[in-house]
Amino acid sequence: MATELTPDALAALRTTHAQDRMAPVLTRAITKNGIEAASFDNQAASRLARTFSVEVPTGKVSNQKHSGRCWEFSLLNTLRHKFATRYHVKDFELSQNYLFFWDKIERANIFYRNVEQTARQPIDDRLVQFLFANPGEDGGQWAMAASLVQKYGVVPASVMPESFNTDNTTAFQASLSRQLRKDGLKLRQLVMNGASEAELQSLEKSMLQTVYRMTAYSFGEPPTSFDLEYRDDEQQYHRTANLTPQQFYQDYFETDLDDYVVVTNSPDKPFNRLYSLPDEDNVIGGKPIEFLNLDMGVLTDVAVQQLQAGETVWFGNDVLRQMDRKTGYLDAHLFETGKLFGTNDHLTKAQRLLTGEGEVSHAMTLTGVDLVADTPTKWKVENSWGEQVGDQGYFVMSQDWFNEYVYEVVVHKHFLAPEFQALLNERAQRLPAWDPLH
């Protein structure tokens, strides 16, 4: 058991450190350059050459700028790649603002429902605290983006372009969260006072109108119809008048999002099971957030298969670990901080999840893989941070990084073996809202 640090104990620490002959030079190197620069592995470049045996043709990367919309960007990337291939429009882009608008409306609506359902629980209950922590947040899951596409369709970026507040969501997120917290507290009090369902619904309708006004002022109002106009790569002009966003998705995209599954590797919990996060769903009646938890080898195999079939892959990961933004390198041994400090600081994937270090912090898109003797060695990654990072916005990821820091891939379920497909019919085990997969 730890005890008080006495003067003798502190002197012993100094004496032992003074015996380290490398201390002076390492202190100079680390204090001058920083921990990451001092521990950077320059040999990473040789491991991460940007050549891939399997590569899906893609165009310019998108840019989420100062926002947490990666989950939405990555899904729209997978859709726009299909549009680009089918209609020969290399750099076609879909509107992220359009989906983001409806996410704010839907997420406010489900927040009100969740607050009502938990109104009789103490305000310091862990779930209640989770609901009120950041109700206007940007972050999300693949299923949340899929729910929005299925309900609202999509529009080209030119029809509803980005606004200042979607490029930089900080102020709007703060304003919306504050409004929702105030609304939530009022709803809790009304429930405790025995308000009728009709009274609650009337108040929620008024509250939702306020959220709609705030969002429309900040993002612009979504179109109900538009004219699709574009020139293909052969400079042929195309125009379809008076499309609704739902018609556009149904007529121009052959993707049934219900055929896709989120395959997860979360070794802190049993494999070969279906899990759900209902407290994070964003659309009442929409697609539930579910994960099929499988061995990492399965995630690797199904991702390779989908790329070989010519389709890019949405994947959830912890991008801030072992990442160099300038080069776009993702390598599990990029920064050897343990060797720098003479320690063994390695935690397993399960340990990182259990202790809170590991989390799904970002979503990107797999667009290629390099197979050597049918074994993947590195992957091509499309990010949504603009063209100024990596190689024109594209990152390169080692297989070691994939194993350690990739937690989810979204693939068509026909790439799964029959025994894994059968698991999709089982009842999902509910995870708490604060599970690391959130």
Side-chain angles (χ1 to χ4, degrees):
M1 180 180 294
T3 59
E4 179 187 355
L5 287 173
T6 64
D8 286 345
L10 296 173
L13 292 174
R14 285 181 174 274
T15 299
T16 300
H17 183 66
Q19 295 170 359
D20 181 0
R21 290 182 297 175
M22 294 299 295
V25 67
L26 285 175
T27 299
R28 288 195 294 271
I30 297 170
T31 55
K32 173 68 175 179
N33 301 293
I35 293 171
E36 287 195 345
S39 65
F40 184 82
D41 181 8
N42 288 310
Q43 297 303 311
S46 63
R47 299 193 296 270
L48 298 172
R50 298 178 188 271
T51 305
F52 308 92
S53 58
V54 178
E55 192 169 350
V56 180
T58 53
K60 293 181 180 179
V61 300
S62 52
N63 192 347
Q64 69 187 77
K65 297 188 178 177
H66 192 70
S67 72
R69 299 175 290 159
C70 56
W71 52 284
E72 173 191 305
F73 271 69
S74 186
L75 175 58
L76 292 180
N77 282 341
T78 63
L79 293 177
R80 75 185 180 107
H81 296 329
K82 292 184 178 183
F83 184 94
T85 299
R86 184 178 182 188
Y87 298 102
H88 310 289
V89 190
K90 185 178 181 183
D91 290 320
F92 186 81
E93 188 166 354
L94 293 167
S95 172
Q96 296 88 11
N97 186 6
Y98 176 75
L99 285 192
F100 197 50
F101 180 98
W102 291 118
D103 178 62
K104 292 306 173 190
I105 307 306
E106 290 283 355
R107 210 181 295 206
N109 187 51
I110 205 168
F111 171 76
Y112 296 146
R113 185 200 68 178
N114 292 341
V115 166
E116 273 193 51
Q117 291 179 343
T118 59
R120 298 188 183 279
Q121 297 171 220
I123 192 66
D124 61 356
D125 175 83
R126 191 170 184 184
L127 177 56
V128 175
Q129 289 286 294
F130 175 85
L131 295 175
F132 278 85
N134 189 11
E137 70 168 323
D138 294 355
Q141 304 271 0
W142 177 86
M144 296 166 66
S147 290
L148 295 168
V149 171
Q150 288 178 325
K151 184 170 183 177
Y152 294 102
V154 292
V155 301
S158 58
V159 172
M160 189 172 178
E162 296 290 279
S163 75
F164 177 91
N165 296 297
T166 56
D167 283 342
N168 187 333
T169 61
T170 303
F172 180 80
Q173 183 180 149
S175 296
L176 181 59
S177 288
R178 190 179 308 114
Q179 183 65 42
L180 290 175
R181 290 188 189 105
K182 182 177 180 180
D183 291 347
L185 290 172
K186 188 171 185 178
L187 286 172
R188 279 176 59 86
Q189 189 61 54
L190 285 174
V191 171
M192 294 296 291
N193 291 343
S196 69
E197 186 63 30
E199 289 174 314
L200 291 169
Q201 288 182 357
S202 176
L203 180 60
E204 288 171 1
K205 183 178 179 180
S206 175
M207 290 174 170
L208 199 60
Q209 188 65 56
T210 298
V211 172
Y212 189 95
R213 181 176 69 247
M214 293 173 66
T215 311
Y217 284 176
S218 302
F219 298 175
E221 198 168 14
T224 57
S225 64
F226 64 95
D227 297 339
L228 174 66
E229 293 183 288
Y230 66 92
R231 285 189 181 275
D232 62 27
D233 296 334
E234 283 72 46
Q235 294 303 305
Q236 296 298 309
Y237 175 75
H238 302 266
R239 184 177 188 274
T240 304
N242 201 32
L243 278 172
T244 68
Q246 294 87 345
Q247 285 176 321
F248 178 47
Y249 182 69
Q250 293 165 9
D251 294 348
Y252 284 82
F253 297 85
E254 295 181 325
T255 301
D256 185 348
L257 295 172
D258 286 334
D259 288 336
Y260 288 76
V261 59
V262 182
V263 184
T264 294
N265 179 253
S266 185
D268 59 320
K269 51 183 72 71
F271 288 142
N272 300 330
R273 293 188 187 177
L274 188 67
Y275 295 94
S276 68
L277 268 175
D279 295 311
E280 290 214 353
D281 291 341
N282 64 330
V283 177
I284 296 177
K287 196 172 185 65
I289 299 173
E290 292 184 339
F291 312 96
L292 182 58
N293 196 28
L294 301 176
D295 180 80
M296 199 65 205
V298 179
L299 270 71
T300 301
D301 183 55
V302 294
V304 168
Q305 288 185 60
Q306 187 154 300
L307 287 171
Q308 289 175 323
E311 184 173 350
T312 58
V313 179
W314 187 107
F315 76 107
N317 59 86
D318 201 353
V319 73
L320 298 180
R321 309 292 177 186
Q322 297 288 348
M323 178 270 292
D324 183 66
R325 181 184 291 262
K326 182 178 180 180
T327 59
Y329 289 164
L330 298 165
D331 186 287
H333 304 286
L334 193 60
F335 303 105
E336 295 282 15
T337 55
K339 292 181 180 178
L340 183 68
F341 291 122
T343 66
N344 180 2
D345 61 359
H346 177 70
L347 294 175
T348 67
K349 198 173 192 178
Q351 289 171 332
R352 292 197 302 274
L353 290 167
L354 287 168
T355 58
E357 179 176 311
E359 62 177 347
V360 185
S361 62
H362 193 45
M364 298 186 286
T365 310
L366 297 174
T367 65
V369 61
D370 195 30
L371 301 175
V372 177
D374 295 325
T375 300
T377 60
K378 58 183 182 292
W379 304 73
K380 184 178 181 182
V381 175
E382 179 182 12
N383 205 346
S384 53
W385 291 349
E387 297 180 342
Q388 302 306 309
V389 298
D391 181 12
Q392 298 296 305
Y394 285 88
F395 283 33
V396 56
M397 171 177 63
S398 72
Q399 181 61 36
D400 284 346
W401 199 94
F402 186 101
N403 291 337
E404 290 288 335
Y405 301 109
V406 170
Y407 295 98
E408 304 166 358
V409 297
V410 177
V411 296
H412 196 288
K413 59 187 177 184
H414 69 221
F415 293 115
L416 290 170
E419 62 267 29
F420 297 138
Q421 292 188 40
L423 296 173
L424 300 173
N425 298 319
E426 296 185 356
R427 184 174 181 177
Q429 179 179 329
R430 181 175 185 146
L431 295 173
W434 46 88
D435 186 271
L437 291 180
H438 85 275

